[in-house]
């Protein structure tokens, strides 16, 4: 790291790229106003002063000419014109390369064996990963790229002539998401045009001067949202936001080159991941600790290790994987062990590692397999359990691995890592470097004995606590409801003696009346808590709402609740019943090493009492019937049930999972937003369980819902005090119902937030007739107010009290407001895309449209078709019916595209003959399917698509989106010349036509 008098680095400690403590430079402010052009020019000058070569490149041709010069410099060669063209065609800029292929070349296949015209072969590299300072950094701006539109990009960072970083700037005050949206617009319009070198972009940076963020260039739909952008920060997790500060640090030459070459992961499923600053900081600290311990001959001692405190949900697996990979590259390290605490985590972790790099890890099905993995000479990572490692030591007391230098990385620090197995490992391995990763360390405050995380693993090397993650919007806050179901059951919750507690629990907490009451409450609030009326797309699948987990105290409780849910849902049609399952197994009655431990259950259900095992057999039988599977409690079949159930929960095919201990730690399902709790939780066990709900997913998922049927309020406060920061309750827990209704002062931002009632009254007073708004400034003010209203309403819908509130805005007026809101947004998009339209004098760039919050399933096709029947009985005039239906349809973003189809159905059908909702539904779906086929045939004929075109369109409608990546879309096009981008124009036209069909016919 280059030294700067304004801040100290941790160079003397780790020689890393993350600053120990960033201190903002004192700069002379250049006036109060800074235009986008001024921002761009200042950044160009700052990069030049940091050693970047400043260029004036404006066209693709100039970009290619510079690329040839840089490739020749890097490889000490001279290409003839023919050789250069052949090198481009064969490797560097192959016409068939997508963004994925070009990313693979940077991250994995950066060396190419090229045969020159004279017959000699030379390894040509496009980036030097062994000596990063051999790479040449250049900066240019305003490059024009042609595609569907002609786009002009802001600032481009070239590495050896390749555009690897693209920066999009907006003037100060403009909403930063506008820059993010523009990047995505460019991606569709020109970045990925045929033979575009911009397919090589690895990192996007967006800034409005005040705030700056970076993110990976990836096509993964579940990683391609604004929520996945990231701020740069120092080792204390202090964000570096201002563009000048960001340029000074992130674009330090060594830093950006290490991020590109060392701290990116291109996963086996073609997803590019870029590590966050706290992940890099932790990796650097561990590597520094290994190196310094080796140099100072500290291996095999507590000082040679340490622990990383990174909160649950912060991407610990990626951090540990990259750390393990980089540790294997150290010449003196013989083997890296990643040690987990349970067989299921062993399997999960290996699969996760294999996603990052397919051949990077050896597993260990048993002790023999572990021994074979250790003895392989490929020096790769070995994933195993602490139990298998302990067994290996017993069976092979003098194995040669014990005298070699080994890095031991432990996953979540469970209690077994404090036991005899841990001591045996330390005693046996002579040259170990041991590190623990945990989201909830054991401190003296929550330790039962003398063992703590620091006492077992060494000093804390880096922390990124839940408060940091919430402030960075990497995990969500918690909203906790406390329900005292009945006072007569209260004494059971306060009982301390374990034996007495079991008796009291049987008598009171498991009383049939209480089980019935809790179950009834869960069923009453389930749809509201999990937002089942909202829909979204996750991992290319259409979903409605989220799912939930129910943590209960014992196996007996799980059995009783499972039966009670079945009983209370029995009268409902199958399609309306929640899909509920449970899982439990035998838990060894071990002594806890920390207050709040969640007792681990093993994979040996045969050890259960006969009643519990029989019940589990019944549950799995029901599961098999529902999902057409064939699992049982026998042998490995139970573990396979666990794995399948895990995946079903992640895919949201299970609505509610009842658990005792399993799944409460180490399980991630972004679709889960609610945890019902009828279990005593404390300290790290409480935070671990709560954290099943707080993974970010989309705007609809505003926080993790926790619904407690035990008195856990003080336990929650105690846990937050230990695992957050001082005064962190307001950061970790959501505001109260009254605050959201009446307004509050936000201590984090220093701003006053208007309450729901005030917002409703203000928007009604200001815009009583929203459909009559004509002035641009009024449209902007309406969009701002209504967006705020949507956000606060989305939060309030999680409060039970809100369901009983009288509506301040009438249903009809709300429909008009939603319709006008979407109209304004569509008008802004159109104006943004139409390069000839400069009529708008009002700048909408600081308005963030909350379109995701309008994607409701309350106004869906079935609802609309039922309404058509009702209106047909009220009105004889078909035009009145169409006008009323149009208002309803246009108020929902999910049905808006179907307006023409529905209105044509109303026109063509004789509604008087339809007497029931079922008839309307049947007639519409038959009509829609015919229209779908007609329009598919029409597009296929008009665009002269190949035979496979119809199948591609149908598949796109089924998926809900059109994929333009890969060769599939290209393969259905008719023969088209590539000259002057004609084929790309054709491809874009076909793409847009198919996308329109998808929007109209998805779900039909």
């Amino acid at each position: 790291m280059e030294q700067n008098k304004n801040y100290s680095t941790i160079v003397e400690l780790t020689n890393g790229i993350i600053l120990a403590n960033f201190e903002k430079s004192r700069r002379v402010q250049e006036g109060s106003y800074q235009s986008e052009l001024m921002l761009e020019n200042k950044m160009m000058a700052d990069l030049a002063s940091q050693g970047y070569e400043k260029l004036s490149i404006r066209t693709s041709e100039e970009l290619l000419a510079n690329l040839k010069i840089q490739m020749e410099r890097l490889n000490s060669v001279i290409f003839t014109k023919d050789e250069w063209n052949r090198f481009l065609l064969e490797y560097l800029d192959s016409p068939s390369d997508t963004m994925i292929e070009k990313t693979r070349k940077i991250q994995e296949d950066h060396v190419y064996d090229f045969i020159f015209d004279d017959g000699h072969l030379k390894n040509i590299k496009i980036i030097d990963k062994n000596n990063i300072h051999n790479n040449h950094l250049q900066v240019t701006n305003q490059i024009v790229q042609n595609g569907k539109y002609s786009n002009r990009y802001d600032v481009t960072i070239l590495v050896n002539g390749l555009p690897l970083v693209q920066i999009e700037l907006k003037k100060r005050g403009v909403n930063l998401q506008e820059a993010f949206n523009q990047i995505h617009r460019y991606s569709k319009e020109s970045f990925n045009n045929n033979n575009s070198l911009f397919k090589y972009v690895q990192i996007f940076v967006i800034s409005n001067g005040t705030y700056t963020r970076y993110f990976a260039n990836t096509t993964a739909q579940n990683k391609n949202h604004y929520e996945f952008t990231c701020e740069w920060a120092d080792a204390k997790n202090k964000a570096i936001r201002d563009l000048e500060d960001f340029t000074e640090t992130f674009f330090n030459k060594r830093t950006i080159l290490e991020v590109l070459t060392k701290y990116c992961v291109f996963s086996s499923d073609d997803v590019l991941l870029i590590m966050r600053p706290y992940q890099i900081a932790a990796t650097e600290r561990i590597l520094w600790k290994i190196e310094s311990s080796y140099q100072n001959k500290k291996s095999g001692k507590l000082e040679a290790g340490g622990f990383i405190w990174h909160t649950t949900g912060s991407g610990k697996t990626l951090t540990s994987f990259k750390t393990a990979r980089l540790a294997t590259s150290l010449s003196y390290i013989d083997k890296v062990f990643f040690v987990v605490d349970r067989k299921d985590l062993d399997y999960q972790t290996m699969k996760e590692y294999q996603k990052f790099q397919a051949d990077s890890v050896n597993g260990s099905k048993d002790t023999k397999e572990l021994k074979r993995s250790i003895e392989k000479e490929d020096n790769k990572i070995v994933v195993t359990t602490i139990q298998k490692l302990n067994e290996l030591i017993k069976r092979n007391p003098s194995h040669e691995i014990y005298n070699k230098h080994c890095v031991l990385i432990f996953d979540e620090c469970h209690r077994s890592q404090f036991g005899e197995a841990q001591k045996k490992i330390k005693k046996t391995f002579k040259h170990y470097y041991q590190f623990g990763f945990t989201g909830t360390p054991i401190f003296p405050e929550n330790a039962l004995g003398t063992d703590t995380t620091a006492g077992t693993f060494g000093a804390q090397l880096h922390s990124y606590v839940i408060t940091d993650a919430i402030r960075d919007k990497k995990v969500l806050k918690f909203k906790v409801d406390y329900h005292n179901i009945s006072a007569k059951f209260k004494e059971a919750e306060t009982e301390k003696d374990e034996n007495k507690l079991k008796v009291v629990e049987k008598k009171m907490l498991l009383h049939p009346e209480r089980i019935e009451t809790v179950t009834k409450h869960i069923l009453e609030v389930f749809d509201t808590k999990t937002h089942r009326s909202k829909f979204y797309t996750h991992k290319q699948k259409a979903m409605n709402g989220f799912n939930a987990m129910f943590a209960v105290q014992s196996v007996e409780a799980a059995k009783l609740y499972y039966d009670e849910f079945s009983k209370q849902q029995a009268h409902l049609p199958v399609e309306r019943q929640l899909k509920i399952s449970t899982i439990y197994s035998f838990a060894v009655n071990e002594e806890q090493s920390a207050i709040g431990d969640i007792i681990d259950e093993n994979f040996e259900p045969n050890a259960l009492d006969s009643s519990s095992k029989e019940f589990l057999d019944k549950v799995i039988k029901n599961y098999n019937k529902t999902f057409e599977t064939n699992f049982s409690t026998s042998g490995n079949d139970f573990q396979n049930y666990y794995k399948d159930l895990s995946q079903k929960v992640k895919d949201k095919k299970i609505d509610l999972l009842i658990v005792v201990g399993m799944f409460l730690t180490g399980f991630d399902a972004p679709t889960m937003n609610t945890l019902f709790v009828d279990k005593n939780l404390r300290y790290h066990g409480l935070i671990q369980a709560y954290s099943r709900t707080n993974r970010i997913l989309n705007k609809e998922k505003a926080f993790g819902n926790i619904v407690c049927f035990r008195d856990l309020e003080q336990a929650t406060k105690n846990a937050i005090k230990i695992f957050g920061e001082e005064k962190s309750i307001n950061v970790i827990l959501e505001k109260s119902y009254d605050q959201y209704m009446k307004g509050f002062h936000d201590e984090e931002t220093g701003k006053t937030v208007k309450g729901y009632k005030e917002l409703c009254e203000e928007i009604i007073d200001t815009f009583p007739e929203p459909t009559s708004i004509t002035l641009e400034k009024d449209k902007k003010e309406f969009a701002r107010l209504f967006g705020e209203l949507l956000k606060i309403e989305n939060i309030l819908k999680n409060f039970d009290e809100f369901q009983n509130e009288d509506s301040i805005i009438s249903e009809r007026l709300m429909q008009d407001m939603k319709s006008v809101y979407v109209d304004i947004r569509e008008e802004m998009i159109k104006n943004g895309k139409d390069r000839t339209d400069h009529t708008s004098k009002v700048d909408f760039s600081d308005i963030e449209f909350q379109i995701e919050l309008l994607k409701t399933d309350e106004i869906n096709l079935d609802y609309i078709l039922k309404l058509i029947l009702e209106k047909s009985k009220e009105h004889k005039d078909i035009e009145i019916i169409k006008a009323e239906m149009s208002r309803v349809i246009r108020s929902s973003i999910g049905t808006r595209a179907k307006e023409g189809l529905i209105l044509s159905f109303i026109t063509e059908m004789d509604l008087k003959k339809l007497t029931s909702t079922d008839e309307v539904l049947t007639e519409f779906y038959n009509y829609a399917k015919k229209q779908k086929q007609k329009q598919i045939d029409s597009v296929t004929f008009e665009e002269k698509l190949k035979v496979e075109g119809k199948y591609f369109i149908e598949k796109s409608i089924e998926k809900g989106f059109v994929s333009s990546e890969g060769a599939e879309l290209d393969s259905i096009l008719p023969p088209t010349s590539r000259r002057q981008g004609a084929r790309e124009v054709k491809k874009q036209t076909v793409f847009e036509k198919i996308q329109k069909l998808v929007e109209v016919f998805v779900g039909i």
Side-chain angles (χ1 to χ4, degrees):
M1 175 68 73
E2 296 172 13
Q3 293 295 310
N4 184 300
K5 63 182 179 180
N6 293 311
Y7 53 80
S8 61
T9 72
I10 50 176
V11 63
E12 69 278 5
L13 296 177
T14 67
N15 197 29
I17 63 172
I18 300 294
L19 302 175
N21 182 31
F22 177 74
E23 295 294 336
K24 190 176 177 66
S25 303
R26 291 184 179 178
R27 304 186 185 92
V28 177
Q29 296 298 316
E30 299 174 357
S32 58
Y33 177 78
Q34 194 174 27
S35 69
E36 189 176 311
L37 180 61
M38 292 165 66
L39 209 63
E40 188 174 307
N41 290 337
K42 181 69 170 69
M43 185 181 192
M44 292 283 289
D46 287 346
L47 288 169
S49 71
Q50 290 177 205
Y52 287 66
E53 180 190 355
K54 190 176 176 183
L55 296 177
S56 181
I57 287 176
R58 297 290 182 268
T59 67
S60 299
E61 291 74 23
E62 291 172 337
L63 196 63
L64 271 171
N66 177 67
L67 178 60
K68 180 174 181 289
I69 295 167
Q70 297 309 316
M71 285 295 126
E72 290 176 336
R73 182 206 62 79
L74 181 66
N75 294 282
S76 303
V77 299
I78 299 293
F79 290 101
T80 66
K81 184 178 179 181
D82 286 346
E83 285 169 340
W84 175 246
N85 288 335
R86 186 159 54 80
F87 179 59
L88 289 175
L89 190 66
E90 286 179 14
Y91 171 71
L92 193 57
D93 197 24
S94 175
S96 62
D97 277 357
T98 65
M99 190 180 88
I100 288 170
E101 276 76 50
K102 282 186 161 64
T103 295
R104 184 171 288 111
K105 282 171 184 168
I106 294 295
Q107 297 301 332
E108 296 172 357
D109 305 329
H110 60 287
V111 179
Y112 181 67
D113 295 338
F114 183 70
I115 301 174
F116 285 77
D117 288 348
D118 63 6
H120 85 278
L121 182 147
K122 183 174 174 63
N123 293 335
I124 303 295
K125 56 179 176 273
I126 59 175
I127 189 165
D128 193 334
K129 297 192 176 184
N130 295 322
N131 179 11
I132 61 168
H133 298 295
N134 194 29
N135 299 294
H136 189 54
L137 287 166
Q138 299 170 301
V139 60
T140 188
N141 64 334
Q142 298 297 309
I143 292 180
V144 175
Q145 178 85 358
N146 293 314
K148 180 187 172 187
Y149 291 100
S150 178
N151 295 140
R152 189 185 297 273
Y153 308 147
D154 288 348
V155 178
T156 306
I157 302 291
L158 306 173
V159 180
N160 305 324
L162 290 170
L164 297 193
V165 185
Q166 183 60 43
I167 303 143
E168 181 59 33
L169 302 174
K170 295 293 175 189
K171 66 185 178 185
R172 293 184 191 271
V174 170
N175 192 307
L176 189 56
Q177 189 150 357
E178 180 67 17
F180 178 82
N181 295 339
Q182 186 151 323
I183 289 282
H184 281 279
R185 200 174 76 221
Y186 287 163
S187 295
K188 293 174 183 175
E189 295 177 356
S190 59
F191 273 141
N192 300 318
N193 192 15
N194 279 353
N195 292 91
S196 167
L197 289 176
F198 283 88
K199 290 179 185 176
Y200 273 109
V201 169
Q202 303 294 284
I203 302 173
F204 287 120
V205 173
I206 51 176
S207 180
N208 61 3
T210 308
Y211 297 99
T212 309
R213 304 180 78 89
Y214 69 97
F215 58 101
N217 184 15
T218 184
T219 58
Q221 296 220 338
N222 60 321
K223 300 287 184 188
N224 210 359
H225 301 291
Y226 183 75
E227 286 79 7
F228 288 91
T229 63
C230 188
E231 290 182 320
W232 193 240
D234 64 16
K236 293 182 178 178
N237 306 311
K238 185 168 66 181
I240 300 171
R241 295 182 172 126
D242 186 89
L243 180 60
E244 289 185 41
D245 298 332
F246 186 91
T247 302
E248 189 176 11
T249 53
F250 185 82
F251 283 120
N252 172 287
K253 288 170 72 174
R254 178 191 162 194
T255 302
I256 187 60
L257 288 170
E258 284 211 11
V259 169
L260 284 165
T261 60
K262 197 172 176 181
Y263 294 114
C264 287
V265 172
F266 189 52
S267 70
S268 58
D269 51 358
D270 298 332
V271 177
L272 180 65
L273 305 168
I274 299 174
M275 294 176 74
R276 299 163 185 164
Y278 62 85
Q279 293 174 313
I280 297 173
T283 303
E284 288 184 332
R285 292 289 290 173
I286 290 176
L287 293 172
W288 161 76
K289 177 61 82 171
I290 295 170
E291 178 67 25
S292 62
S293 300
Y294 175 75
Q295 296 293 344
N296 294 309
K297 296 182 170 50
K298 296 282 188 182
S299 61
K301 297 179 181 177
L302 187 66
E303 303 97 285
F307 74 94
I308 302 294
W309 177 10
H310 281 189
T311 190
T312 307
S314 60
K316 175 171 57 65
T317 308
L318 175 59
T319 312
S320 64
F321 167 78
K322 181 54 81 168
T323 302
R325 287 297 297 156
L326 292 172
T328 61
S329 66
L330 298 173
S331 59
Y332 51 87
I333 296 299
D334 297 291
K335 194 68 65 176
V336 176
F337 293 88
F338 191 82
V339 187
V340 296
D341 190 41
R342 285 212 314 254
K343 194 188 295 183
D344 62 304
L345 292 175
D346 178 12
Y347 172 83
Q348 287 174 18
T349 304
M350 191 175 76
K351 289 297 179 189
E352 287 296 317
Y353 272 21
Q354 286 172 342
K355 282 183 186 175
F356 296 141
Q357 192 170 330
D359 61 347
S360 64
V361 56
N362 295 320
S364 52
K365 295 176 185 174
D366 50 36
T367 309
K368 287 181 181 177
E369 181 64 29
L370 173 58
K371 185 172 179 288
R372 280 194 293 271
S373 294
I374 289 170
E375 290 167 357
K376 286 180 182 177
E377 294 297 324
D378 53 12
N379 203 31
K380 291 182 180 175
I381 305 159
V382 175
V383 174
T384 189
T385 65
I386 193 167
Q387 292 85 359
K388 289 176 194 169
L389 197 54
N390 192 34
E391 191 62 29
L392 176 86
I393 292 168
K394 285 182 185 176
R395 295 186 187 182
N396 303 273
S398 57
H399 198 285
E400 62 179 1
I401 192 68
Y402 307 141
N403 293 310
K404 294 186 176 182
H405 286 263
C406 297
V407 175
L408 297 156
I409 299 174
F410 285 77
D411 191 29
E412 279 293 345
C413 301
H414 295 301
R415 69 192 171 282
S416 61
Q417 293 176 4
F418 290 179
E420 290 304 313
Q422 169 67 231
K423 292 171 184 174
K424 191 169 285 187
I425 289 168
K426 284 183 177 180
K427 187 176 179 181
T428 305
F429 283 82
K430 306 304 179 192
H431 297 289
Y432 66 80
Y433 308 82
Q434 180 173 267
F435 303 94
F437 277 84
T438 180
T440 48
I442 307 303
F443 297 114
E445 297 95 318
N446 62 317
L448 277 175
T450 57
D451 289 325
T452 62
T453 303
T456 303
F457 292 95
Q460 179 180 303
L461 298 178
H462 190 260
S463 68
Y464 184 78
V465 301
I466 189 169
T467 328
D468 297 318
I470 288 171
R471 283 182 182 140
D472 289 349
K473 296 182 170 58
K474 294 305 165 205
V475 297
L476 303 171
K477 288 186 177 186
F478 301 115
K479 177 190 174 297
V480 188
D481 296 341
Y482 302 101
H483 291 278
N484 183 9
I485 291 299
S486 178
K488 68 181 179 182
F489 304 123
K490 189 76 177 173
E491 66 182 82
E493 300 178 39
T494 57
E495 180 60 64
K496 302 298 182 187
D497 185 282
E498 286 294 321
N499 293 322
K500 287 183 181 178
L501 177 62
K502 288 176 183 176
V503 175
V504 174
E505 181 186 67
K506 185 81 175 174
K507 181 182 175 183
M508 293 188 167
L509 294 176
L510 298 184
H511 191 284
E513 183 184 328
R514 185 175 182 278
I515 296 291
E516 180 186 354
T517 307
V518 171
T519 303
K520 183 180 178 183
H521 181 83
I522 291 174
L523 289 172
E524 284 174 350
V525 303
F526 193 89
D527 286 7
T528 303
K529 296 295 182 188
T530 60
H531 293 222
R532 282 168 74 83
S533 66
K534 300 285 183 174
F535 71 90
Y536 57 94
T537 300
H538 178 59
K539 291 189 176 179
Q540 303 180 2
K541 294 174 184 173
M543 293 185 177
N544 68 301
F546 308 106
N547 51 359
M549 196 182 285
F550 185 16
V552 299
Q553 189 71 36
S554 62
V555 169
E556 187 64 25
K559 291 157 58 180
L560 291 169
Y561 275 118
Y562 183 88
D563 276 347
E564 186 62 29
F565 275 108
S566 299
K567 178 183 170 184
Q568 291 195 26
Q569 290 198 109
H571 68 285
L572 296 173
V574 174
E575 64 272 11
R576 287 191 55 207
Q577 293 179 14
L578 297 182
K579 286 188 174 65
I580 297 175
S581 195
T582 187
I583 188 168
Y584 54 79
S585 188
F586 184 71
V588 179
N589 189 20
E590 296 176 350
E591 183 181 344
Q592 293 182 328
S593 63
I595 303 168
D597 270 340
I598 293 174
I599 301 295
D600 273 341
E601 297 161 276
N602 60 32
F603 281 95
E604 297 170 9
N606 289 329
L608 289 164
D609 63 77
S610 58
S611 170
S612 297
K613 186 174 180 299
E614 283 173 16
F615 191 90
L616 194 55
D617 283 323
K618 180 182 83 170
V619 169
I620 295 176
K621 187 178 178 182
N622 291 341
Y623 182 91
N624 289 335
K625 184 179 177 182
T626 302
F627 296 108
E628 297 180 351
T629 51
N630 191 31
F631 301 113
S632 72
T633 55
S634 304
N636 287 332
D637 236 16
F638 179 71
Q639 191 169 341
N640 291 332
Y641 166 64
Y642 174 97
K643 292 170 188 174
D644 192 73
L645 178 63
S646 170
Q647 195 57 51
K648 291 282 193 299
V649 174
K650 290 181 180 184
D651 293 340
K652 213 188 83 63
K653 292 179 180 177
I654 295 287
D655 296 310
L656 179 66
L657 178 64
I658 303 170
V659 296
V660 181
M662 285 183 176
F663 287 92
L664 288 179
T665 61
F667 175 71
D668 291 342
T671 61
M672 185 172 287
N673 84 323
T674 302
L675 175 73
F676 297 101
V677 184
D678 190 18
K679 182 181 181 75
N680 290 330
L681 294 170
R682 297 180 72 188
Y683 293 119
H684 60 287
L686 181 144
I687 294 292
Q688 286 277 0
Y690 282 16
S691 296
R692 298 314 103 212
T693 67
N694 73 338
R695 301 300 185 270
I696 61 169
L697 181 67
N698 53 26
K699 287 185 180 179
E700 180 64 34
K701 186 179 178 183
F703 40 71
N705 270 318
I706 313 296
V707 182
C708 298
F709 301 107
R710 303 223 177 172
D711 186 6
L712 296 180
E713 188 166 5
Q714 191 56 49
T716 300
K717 290 177 180 177
N718 292 343
I720 287 172
K721 186 177 178 182
I722 287 185
F723 297 114
E725 294 172 350
E726 283 297 314
K727 301 178 182 177
S728 62
I729 281 199
N730 289 334
V731 177
I732 295 172
L733 299 183
E734 269 297 339
K735 301 286 188 295
S736 70
Y737 179 72
D738 278 351
Q739 286 174 304
Y740 280 118
M741 288 299 289
K742 298 174 182 176
F744 58 91
H745 178 73
D746 191 332
E747 294 177 7
E748 293 175 60
T749 63
K751 296 179 181 178
T752 298
V753 177
K754 291 180 181 178
Y756 178 75
K757 288 182 178 178
E758 184 182 351
L759 277 171
C760 286
E761 289 163 1
E762 184 178 353
I763 203 166
I764 291 171
D765 290 344
T766 312
F767 303 104
E769 297 286 342
T771 53
S772 302
I773 300 172
T774 55
L775 297 177
E776 294 278 285
K777 65 179 183 64
D778 289 342
K779 289 179 181 179
K780 180 177 179 179
E781 178 60 13
F782 174 80
R784 184 189 66 78
L785 275 175
F786 195 69
E788 289 301 311
L789 184 65
L790 286 175
K791 283 196 292 185
I792 203 164
E793 187 178 66
N794 181 54
I795 292 170
L796 281 166
K797 282 179 178 177
N798 291 276
F799 288 86
D800 297 342
E801 303 97 310
F802 191 64
Q803 312 312 312
N804 301 318
E805 284 282 350
D806 292 331
S807 297
I808 300 173
I809 301 175
S810 71
E811 185 180 354
R812 187 184 180 103
L813 182 57
M814 181 58 78
Q815 286 175 357
D816 284 345
M817 286 183 174
K818 288 178 179 178
S819 183
V820 169
Y821 186 68
V822 179
D823 283 340
I824 294 170
R825 189 242 187 182
E826 288 180 352
E827 186 182 330
M828 292 310 105
I829 291 174
K830 180 176 177 295
N831 289 343
K833 286 189 172 182
D834 182 359
R835 302 299 186 265
T836 62
D837 186 351
H838 300 291
T839 57
S840 177
K841 295 178 181 178
V842 177
D843 184 4
F844 278 78
S845 60
D846 57 338
I847 299 294
E848 181 184 351
F849 285 90
Q850 308 295 328
I851 293 301
E852 282 186 44
L853 302 184
L854 287 176
K855 293 180 180 177
T856 173
D857 201 37
E858 291 161 358
I859 301 176
N860 58 17
L861 263 178
D862 288 3
Y863 171 83
I864 288 167
L865 295 171
K866 288 174 186 175
L867 205 56
I868 288 172
L869 185 65
E870 290 175 18
K871 296 299 178 185
S872 68
K873 292 175 181 176
E874 293 175 15
H875 304 285
K876 292 181 180 179
D877 190 335
I878 199 166
E879 294 305 317
I880 294 177
I881 297 172
K882 285 167 69 175
E884 292 206 18
M885 294 315 305
S886 184
R887 172 184 282 109
V888 176
I889 293 165
R890 293 183 66 78
S891 71
S892 169
I893 195 76
T895 56
R896 201 174 173 90
K898 295 174 170 58
E899 183 181 14
L901 178 68
I902 296 168
L903 295 184
S904 67
F905 168 72
I906 294 172
T907 302
E908 294 186 28
M909 295 303 299
D910 187 353
L911 298 180
K912 294 176 184 176
K913 291 182 180 179
L914 303 177
T915 58
S916 69
T917 303
D918 286 345
E919 281 185 40
V920 178
L921 292 172
T922 302
E923 288 295 330
F924 175 78
Y925 281 105
N926 287 338
Y927 173 81
K929 283 172 184 174
K930 288 175 185 176
Q931 290 298 313
K932 178 170 72 172
Q933 204 52 56
K934 271 187 189 177
Q935 294 193 36
I936 290 174
D937 291 343
S938 176
V939 169
T940 306
F941 176 76
E942 288 170 10
E943 298 301 329
K944 298 181 174 61
L945 302 182
K946 294 178 183 175
V947 179
E948 298 84 3
K950 290 184 181 181
Y951 173 72
F952 177 80
I953 297 172
E954 286 172 352
K955 194 169 74 170
S956 298
I957 291 171
E958 190 179 326
K959 288 191 301 185
F961 69 95
V962 190
S963 175
S964 59
E965 286 299 317
E968 201 171 1
L969 177 58
D970 210 57
S971 70
I972 68 170
L973 301 179
T976 310
S977 169
R978 292 187 184 273
R979 290 183 180 179
Q980 297 181 326
R983 187 170 179 82
E984 193 61 30
V985 171
K986 178 72 170 178
K987 184 178 178 180
Q988 186 63 34
T989 302
V990 171
F991 174 85
E992 289 179 358
K993 285 191 174 184
I994 298 175
Q995 185 60 42
K996 282 182 180 177
L997 290 186
V998 168
E999 290 168 4
V1000 174
F1001 294 106
V1002 65
I1004 295 174

